[in-house]
């Protein structure tokens, strides 16, 4: 790619996503910008070519602050990285497009589904995606035997493993919860992340599962790519269930020995384990840059099986 035509990219809520930043550099992005609430304390922001401070993603003026960065720096692609900013970006995507920038986000209807975990299970289940039995708090309290015990609980609008709990019996439930919760059949077995890429027409072009060998703080620390026809078939059903989805998504699966594979989470963004997919040949960052430059889509499903990622701690030093 000609250096003068390399598109500037902005990684939003960059935090610790240094590996994602590096993937876009490797893919041929031009100046790589990053923004965060406190860029001075963000490793990815310190490693970016330029860093910007923005309000919290749920604060008034967040989208407008990012628009100003896009306008002033000729940004061509904005890449959200956390669930809580997706709604703001989906609603403002048209305004960014008017500035010549694509926001990597699915349409507002898709984001509304994936940001509500109960609705996610309903929509996926109706499309034939295997999901765990799920109840709202009211449904579970009305019929405590409907799921069997123990049950797995999580906030309906949660993210980043916040508020997860297991309850062994009805008597263990607290009298109330601080936010809406959902309850599911507790699953056990190997856990997989499936990273998928849908082109601008919504066609599924790549599905790359990796076995989560070890996790830390909800993010894969050790993983290995693995081809499985059943997970590929589930990926096609997930894509069909979310017709407004575009670009990169990932979903989580537990392969329970009693129930079989069950999808329990969908994230409409780059997942934390994307660097493994990228190294294995599923180069989503490259394919997004192809799209914004109007080049033919090179997305494919020819990634390498058996690629292992072993993460380790590193540091950025200031002063």
């Amino acid at each position: 790619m000609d250096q003068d035509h390399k598109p500037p990219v902005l990684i939003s809520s960059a935090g610790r996503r240094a590996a994602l930043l590096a993937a876009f550099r490797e893919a041929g992005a031009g100046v790589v910008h990053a923004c965060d609430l406190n860029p001075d304390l963000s490793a990815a922001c310190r490693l970016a070519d330029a860093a910007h401070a923005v309000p919290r993603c749920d604060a008034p003026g967040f989208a407008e602050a990012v628009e100003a960065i896009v306008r002033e720096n000729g940004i061509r692609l904005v890449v959200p990285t956390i669930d809580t900013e997706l709604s703001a970006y989906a609603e403002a995507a048209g305004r960014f497009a008017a500035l010549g920038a694509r926001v990597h986000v699915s349409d507002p209807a898709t984001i509304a589904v994936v940001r509500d975990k109960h609705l996610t299970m309903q929509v996926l289940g109706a499309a034939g995606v295997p999901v765990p039995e799920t109840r709202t708090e009211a449904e579970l309290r009305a019929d405590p035997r409907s799921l069997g015990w123990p049950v797995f609980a999580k906030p309906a609008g949660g993210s980043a493993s916040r508020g997860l709990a297991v309850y062994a019996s009805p008597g263990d439930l607290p009298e109330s919860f601080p936010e809406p919760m959902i309850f599911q059949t507790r699953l056990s077995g190997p856990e997989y992340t499936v990273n998928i890429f849908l082109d601008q027409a919504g066609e599924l072009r790549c599905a790359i599962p990796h076995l989560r060998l070890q996790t830390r703080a909800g993010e894969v620390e050790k993983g290995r790519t693995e081809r499985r026809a059943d997970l590929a078939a589930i990926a096609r059903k997930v894509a069909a269930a979310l017709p407004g989805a575009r670009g990169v998504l990932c979903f989580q699966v537990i392969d329970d020995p009693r129930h079989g594979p069950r999808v329990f989470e969908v994230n409409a963004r780059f997942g934390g384990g994307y660097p493994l997919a990228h190294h294995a040949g599923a180069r989503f960052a490259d394919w997004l840059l192809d799209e914004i430059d109007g080049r033919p889509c090179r997305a494919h499903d020819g990634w390498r099986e058996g690629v292992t990622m072993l993460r380790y701690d590193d540091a950025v030093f200031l002063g």
Side-chain angles (χ1 to χ4, degrees), residues 244-267:
R246 295 292 185 274
V248 181
L249 294 85
C250 62
F251 61 89
Q252 308 290 112
V253 177
I254 290 179
D255 190 4
D256 188 282
R258 298 169 300 158
H259 305 288
R262 290 291 182 270
V263 176
F264 65 93
E265 184 89 23
V266 178
N267 298 305

PDB file of all heavy atoms in Angstrom, residues 244-267:
ATOM      1  N   GLY A 244     -28.175  -7.584  10.667  1.00  0.00           N
ATOM      2  CA  GLY A 244     -27.563  -6.266  10.600  1.00  0.00           C
ATOM      3  C   GLY A 244     -26.128  -6.236  11.066  1.00  0.00           C
ATOM      4  O   GLY A 244     -25.527  -5.163  11.149  1.00  0.00           O
ATOM      5  N   ALA A 245     -25.552  -7.399  11.354  1.00  0.00           N
ATOM      6  CA  ALA A 245     -24.164  -7.456  11.828  1.00  0.00           C
ATOM      7  C   ALA A 245     -23.202  -7.264  10.660  1.00  0.00           C
ATOM      8  O   ALA A 245     -23.432  -7.775   9.557  1.00  0.00           O
ATOM      9  CB  ALA A 245     -23.896  -8.786  12.510  1.00  0.00           C
ATOM     10  N   ARG A 246     -22.141  -6.532  10.920  1.00  0.00           N
ATOM     11  CA  ARG A 246     -21.118  -6.295   9.920  1.00  0.00           C
ATOM     12  C   ARG A 246     -19.744  -6.308  10.580  1.00  0.00           C
ATOM     13  O   ARG A 246     -19.587  -5.924  11.736  1.00  0.00           O
ATOM     14  CB  ARG A 246     -21.312  -4.935   9.231  1.00  0.00           C
ATOM     15  CG  ARG A 246     -22.586  -4.805   8.415  1.00  0.00           C
ATOM     16  CD  ARG A 246     -22.573  -5.708   7.180  1.00  0.00           C
ATOM     17  NE  ARG A 246     -23.737  -5.500   6.339  1.00  0.00           N
ATOM     18  CZ  ARG A 246     -24.903  -6.122   6.511  1.00  0.00           C
ATOM     19  NH1 ARG A 246     -25.063  -6.984   7.521  1.00  0.00           N
ATOM     20  NH2 ARG A 246     -25.912  -5.901   5.701  1.00  0.00           N
ATOM     21  N   GLY A 247     -18.745  -6.738   9.818  1.00  0.00           N
ATOM     22  CA  GLY A 247     -17.377  -6.704  10.312  1.00  0.00           C
ATOM     23  C   GLY A 247     -17.089  -7.819  11.291  1.00  0.00           C
ATOM     24  O   GLY A 247     -17.440  -8.975  11.072  1.00  0.00           O
ATOM     25  N   VAL A 248     -16.464  -7.456  12.405  1.00  0.00           N
ATOM     26  CA  VAL A 248     -15.928  -8.435  13.354  1.00  0.00           C
ATOM     27  C   VAL A 248     -16.879  -8.607  14.534  1.00  0.00           C
ATOM     28  O   VAL A 248     -17.325  -7.631  15.132  1.00  0.00           O
ATOM     29  CB  VAL A 248     -14.552  -7.980  13.868  1.00  0.00           C
ATOM     30  CG1 VAL A 248     -13.972  -9.000  14.839  1.00  0.00           C
ATOM     31  CG2 VAL A 248     -13.597  -7.734  12.697  1.00  0.00           C
ATOM     32  N   LEU A 249     -17.184  -9.852  14.872  1.00  0.00           N
ATOM     33  CA  LEU A 249     -17.897 -10.208  16.091  1.00  0.00           C
ATOM     34  C   LEU A 249     -17.204 -11.427  16.674  1.00  0.00           C
ATOM     35  O   LEU A 249     -16.415 -12.105  15.997  1.00  0.00           O
ATOM     36  CB  LEU A 249     -19.371 -10.537  15.837  1.00  0.00           C
ATOM     37  CG  LEU A 249     -20.291  -9.425  15.357  1.00  0.00           C
ATOM     38  CD1 LEU A 249     -20.238  -9.271  13.842  1.00  0.00           C
ATOM     39  CD2 LEU A 249     -21.747  -9.708  15.778  1.00  0.00           C
ATOM     40  N   CYS A 250     -17.520 -11.731  17.920  1.00  0.00           N
ATOM     41  CA  CYS A 250     -17.072 -12.990  18.489  1.00  0.00           C
ATOM     42  C   CYS A 250     -18.158 -13.520  19.405  1.00  0.00           C
ATOM     43  O   CYS A 250     -18.964 -12.754  19.938  1.00  0.00           O
ATOM     44  CB  CYS A 250     -15.749 -12.844  19.243  1.00  0.00           C
ATOM     45  SG  CYS A 250     -15.793 -11.736  20.661  1.00  0.00           S
ATOM     46  N   PHE A 251     -18.213 -14.840  19.527  1.00  0.00           N
ATOM     47  CA  PHE A 251     -19.164 -15.430  20.469  1.00  0.00           C
ATOM     48  C   PHE A 251     -18.473 -16.526  21.259  1.00  0.00           C
ATOM     49  O   PHE A 251     -17.488 -17.115  20.825  1.00  0.00           O
ATOM     50  CB  PHE A 251     -20.430 -15.927  19.778  1.00  0.00           C
ATOM     51  CG  PHE A 251     -20.253 -17.003  18.738  1.00  0.00           C
ATOM     52  CD1 PHE A 251     -20.282 -18.340  19.087  1.00  0.00           C
ATOM     53  CD2 PHE A 251     -20.091 -16.673  17.396  1.00  0.00           C
ATOM     54  CE1 PHE A 251     -20.145 -19.339  18.133  1.00  0.00           C
ATOM     55  CE2 PHE A 251     -19.959 -17.655  16.428  1.00  0.00           C
ATOM     56  CZ  PHE A 251     -19.986 -18.992  16.794  1.00  0.00           C
ATOM     57  N   GLN A 252     -19.012 -16.748  22.460  1.00  0.00           N
ATOM     58  CA  GLN A 252     -18.436 -17.705  23.388  1.00  0.00           C
ATOM     59  C   GLN A 252     -19.295 -18.967  23.432  1.00  0.00           C
ATOM     60  O   GLN A 252     -20.535 -18.884  23.429  1.00  0.00           O
ATOM     61  CB  GLN A 252     -18.370 -17.121  24.794  1.00  0.00           C
ATOM     62  CG  GLN A 252     -17.708 -15.757  24.893  1.00  0.00           C
ATOM     63  CD  GLN A 252     -16.231 -15.815  24.646  1.00  0.00           C
ATOM     64  OE1 GLN A 252     -15.767 -15.304  23.639  1.00  0.00           O
ATOM     65  NE2 GLN A 252     -15.506 -16.418  25.543  1.00  0.00           N
ATOM     66  N   VAL A 253     -18.632 -20.100  23.501  1.00  0.00           N
ATOM     67  CA  VAL A 253     -19.295 -21.408  23.496  1.00  0.00           C
ATOM     68  C   VAL A 253     -18.710 -22.256  24.617  1.00  0.00           C
ATOM     69  O   VAL A 253     -17.489 -22.282  24.812  1.00  0.00           O
ATOM     70  CB  VAL A 253     -19.082 -22.138  22.152  1.00  0.00           C
ATOM     71  CG1 VAL A 253     -19.720 -23.519  22.176  1.00  0.00           C
ATOM     72  CG2 VAL A 253     -19.629 -21.321  20.994  1.00  0.00           C
ATOM     73  N   ILE A 254     -19.576 -22.950  25.345  1.00  0.00           N
ATOM     74  CA  ILE A 254     -19.129 -24.023  26.234  1.00  0.00           C
ATOM     75  C   ILE A 254     -19.614 -25.337  25.640  1.00  0.00           C
ATOM     76  O   ILE A 254     -20.807 -25.489  25.317  1.00  0.00           O
ATOM     77  CB  ILE A 254     -19.659 -23.844  27.663  1.00  0.00           C
ATOM     78  CG1 ILE A 254     -18.979 -22.652  28.332  1.00  0.00           C
ATOM     79  CG2 ILE A 254     -19.414 -25.123  28.492  1.00  0.00           C
ATOM     80  CD1 ILE A 254     -19.447 -22.373  29.740  1.00  0.00           C
ATOM     81  N   ASP A 255     -18.690 -26.266  25.458  1.00  0.00           N
ATOM     82  CA  ASP A 255     -19.025 -27.577  24.901  1.00  0.00           C
ATOM     83  C   ASP A 255     -19.336 -28.522  26.063  1.00  0.00           C
ATOM     84  O   ASP A 255     -18.470 -29.257  26.543  1.00  0.00           O
ATOM     85  CB  ASP A 255     -17.870 -28.089  24.048  1.00  0.00           C
ATOM     86  CG  ASP A 255     -18.243 -29.317  23.244  1.00  0.00           C
ATOM     87  OD1 ASP A 255     -19.424 -29.725  23.285  1.00  0.00           O
ATOM     88  OD2 ASP A 255     -17.350 -29.869  22.567  1.00  0.00           O
ATOM     89  N   ASP A 256     -20.579 -28.471  26.512  1.00  0.00           N
ATOM     90  CA  ASP A 256     -21.002 -29.237  27.672  1.00  0.00           C
ATOM     91  C   ASP A 256     -21.207 -30.701  27.290  1.00  0.00           C
ATOM     92  O   ASP A 256     -21.872 -30.993  26.290  1.00  0.00           O
ATOM     93  CB  ASP A 256     -22.304 -28.640  28.221  1.00  0.00           C
ATOM     94  CG  ASP A 256     -22.723 -29.246  29.532  1.00  0.00           C
ATOM     95  OD1 ASP A 256     -23.267 -30.370  29.500  1.00  0.00           O
ATOM     96  OD2 ASP A 256     -22.521 -28.613  30.580  1.00  0.00           O
ATOM     97  N   PRO A 257     -20.665 -31.661  28.050  1.00  0.00           N
ATOM     98  CA  PRO A 257     -20.805 -33.074  27.681  1.00  0.00           C
ATOM     99  C   PRO A 257     -22.247 -33.569  27.722  1.00  0.00           C
ATOM    100  O   PRO A 257     -22.585 -34.528  27.041  1.00  0.00           O
ATOM    101  CB  PRO A 257     -19.931 -33.803  28.712  1.00  0.00           C
ATOM    102  CG  PRO A 257     -19.771 -32.851  29.845  1.00  0.00           C
ATOM    103  CD  PRO A 257     -19.818 -31.487  29.250  1.00  0.00           C
ATOM    104  N   ARG A 258     -23.107 -32.903  28.492  1.00  0.00           N
ATOM    105  CA  ARG A 258     -24.519 -33.329  28.554  1.00  0.00           C
ATOM    106  C   ARG A 258     -25.361 -32.673  27.472  1.00  0.00           C
ATOM    107  O   ARG A 258     -26.230 -33.315  26.866  1.00  0.00           O
ATOM    108  CB  ARG A 258     -25.111 -32.976  29.913  1.00  0.00           C
ATOM    109  CG  ARG A 258     -24.457 -33.655  31.108  1.00  0.00           C
ATOM    110  CD  ARG A 258     -24.943 -33.012  32.384  1.00  0.00           C
ATOM    111  NE  ARG A 258     -24.606 -31.585  32.434  1.00  0.00           N
ATOM    112  CZ  ARG A 258     -25.229 -30.690  33.172  1.00  0.00           C
ATOM    113  NH1 ARG A 258     -26.266 -31.055  33.913  1.00  0.00           N
ATOM    114  NH2 ARG A 258     -24.831 -29.428  33.170  1.00  0.00           N
ATOM    115  N   HIS A 259     -25.130 -31.395  27.218  1.00  0.00           N
ATOM    116  CA  HIS A 259     -25.999 -30.621  26.348  1.00  0.00           C
ATOM    117  C   HIS A 259     -25.412 -30.351  24.969  1.00  0.00           C
ATOM    118  O   HIS A 259     -26.125 -29.936  24.065  1.00  0.00           O
ATOM    119  CB  HIS A 259     -26.337 -29.277  27.003  1.00  0.00           C
ATOM    120  CG  HIS A 259     -26.929 -29.395  28.371  1.00  0.00           C
ATOM    121  ND1 HIS A 259     -28.214 -29.845  28.591  1.00  0.00           N
ATOM    122  CD2 HIS A 259     -26.409 -29.117  29.592  1.00  0.00           C
ATOM    123  CE1 HIS A 259     -28.463 -29.836  29.895  1.00  0.00           C
ATOM    124  NE2 HIS A 259     -27.389 -29.427  30.530  1.00  0.00           N
ATOM    125  N   GLY A 260     -24.108 -30.565  24.813  1.00  0.00           N
ATOM    126  CA  GLY A 260     -23.452 -30.196  23.566  1.00  0.00           C
ATOM    127  C   GLY A 260     -23.040 -28.734  23.596  1.00  0.00           C
ATOM    128  O   GLY A 260     -23.222 -28.032  24.598  1.00  0.00           O
ATOM    129  N   PRO A 261     -22.483 -28.227  22.486  1.00  0.00           N
ATOM    130  CA  PRO A 261     -22.040 -26.830  22.465  1.00  0.00           C
ATOM    131  C   PRO A 261     -23.220 -25.876  22.675  1.00  0.00           C
ATOM    132  O   PRO A 261     -24.281 -26.047  22.072  1.00  0.00           O
ATOM    133  CB  PRO A 261     -21.447 -26.663  21.058  1.00  0.00           C
ATOM    134  CG  PRO A 261     -21.157 -28.049  20.590  1.00  0.00           C
ATOM    135  CD  PRO A 261     -22.197 -28.926  21.217  1.00  0.00           C
ATOM    136  N   ARG A 262     -23.005 -24.870  23.520  1.00  0.00           N
ATOM    137  CA  ARG A 262     -24.040 -23.865  23.792  1.00  0.00           C
ATOM    138  C   ARG A 262     -23.392 -22.480  23.747  1.00  0.00           C
ATOM    139  O   ARG A 262     -22.390 -22.223  24.402  1.00  0.00           O
ATOM    140  CB  ARG A 262     -24.680 -24.074  25.164  1.00  0.00           C
ATOM    141  CG  ARG A 262     -25.565 -25.324  25.258  1.00  0.00           C
ATOM    142  CD  ARG A 262     -26.827 -25.161  24.415  1.00  0.00           C
ATOM    143  NE  ARG A 262     -27.740 -26.297  24.509  1.00  0.00           N
ATOM    144  CZ  ARG A 262     -27.716 -27.357  23.720  1.00  0.00           C
ATOM    145  NH1 ARG A 262     -26.765 -27.439  22.769  1.00  0.00           N
ATOM    146  NH2 ARG A 262     -28.598 -28.315  23.841  1.00  0.00           N
ATOM    147  N   VAL A 263     -23.992 -21.589  22.953  1.00  0.00           N
ATOM    148  CA  VAL A 263     -23.532 -20.204  22.864  1.00  0.00           C
ATOM    149  C   VAL A 263     -24.114 -19.430  24.030  1.00  0.00           C
ATOM    150  O   VAL A 263     -25.329 -19.414  24.222  1.00  0.00           O
ATOM    151  CB  VAL A 263     -23.975 -19.560  21.535  1.00  0.00           C
ATOM    152  CG1 VAL A 263     -23.571 -18.082  21.489  1.00  0.00           C
ATOM    153  CG2 VAL A 263     -23.393 -20.315  20.349  1.00  0.00           C
ATOM    154  N   PHE A 264     -23.253 -18.758  24.796  1.00  0.00           N
ATOM    155  CA  PHE A 264     -23.768 -18.040  25.962  1.00  0.00           C
ATOM    156  C   PHE A 264     -23.437 -16.554  25.939  1.00  0.00           C
ATOM    157  O   PHE A 264     -23.859 -15.810  26.822  1.00  0.00           O
ATOM    158  CB  PHE A 264     -23.239 -18.669  27.262  1.00  0.00           C
ATOM    159  CG  PHE A 264     -21.751 -18.568  27.448  1.00  0.00           C
ATOM    160  CD1 PHE A 264     -21.188 -17.510  28.149  1.00  0.00           C
ATOM    161  CD2 PHE A 264     -20.910 -19.546  26.938  1.00  0.00           C
ATOM    162  CE1 PHE A 264     -19.816 -17.418  28.328  1.00  0.00           C
ATOM    163  CE2 PHE A 264     -19.537 -19.465  27.115  1.00  0.00           C
ATOM    164  CZ  PHE A 264     -18.987 -18.391  27.808  1.00  0.00           C
ATOM    165  N   GLU A 265     -22.723 -16.088  24.915  1.00  0.00           N
ATOM    166  CA  GLU A 265     -22.326 -14.680  24.879  1.00  0.00           C
ATOM    167  C   GLU A 265     -22.003 -14.288  23.448  1.00  0.00           C
ATOM    168  O   GLU A 265     -21.417 -15.080  22.698  1.00  0.00           O
ATOM    169  CB  GLU A 265     -21.089 -14.474  25.747  1.00  0.00           C
ATOM    170  CG  GLU A 265     -20.629 -13.044  25.879  1.00  0.00           C
ATOM    171  CD  GLU A 265     -21.286 -12.332  27.056  1.00  0.00           C
ATOM    172  OE1 GLU A 265     -21.728 -13.020  27.998  1.00  0.00           O
ATOM    173  OE2 GLU A 265     -21.347 -11.109  27.021  1.00  0.00           O
ATOM    174  N   VAL A 266     -22.390 -13.078  23.047  1.00  0.00           N
ATOM    175  CA  VAL A 266     -22.003 -12.517  21.754  1.00  0.00           C
ATOM    176  C   VAL A 266     -21.471 -11.114  21.992  1.00  0.00           C
ATOM    177  O   VAL A 266     -22.096 -10.315  22.701  1.00  0.00           O
ATOM    178  CB  VAL A 266     -23.194 -12.453  20.766  1.00  0.00           C
ATOM    179  CG1 VAL A 266     -22.751 -11.806  19.452  1.00  0.00           C
ATOM    180  CG2 VAL A 266     -23.766 -13.838  20.503  1.00  0.00           C
ATOM    181  N   ASN A 267     -20.330 -10.805  21.396  1.00  0.00           N
ATOM    182  CA  ASN A 267     -19.753  -9.463  21.455  1.00  0.00           C
ATOM    183  C   ASN A 267     -19.606  -8.932  20.033  1.00  0.00           C
ATOM    184  O   ASN A 267     -18.921  -9.564  19.214  1.00  0.00           O
ATOM    185  CB  ASN A 267     -18.384  -9.483  22.140  1.00  0.00           C
ATOM    186  CG  ASN A 267     -18.464  -9.951  23.578  1.00  0.00           C
ATOM    187  OD1 ASN A 267     -19.211  -9.389  24.368  1.00  0.00           O
ATOM    188  ND2 ASN A 267     -17.704 -10.973  23.917  1.00  0.00           N
TER     189      ASN A 267
END
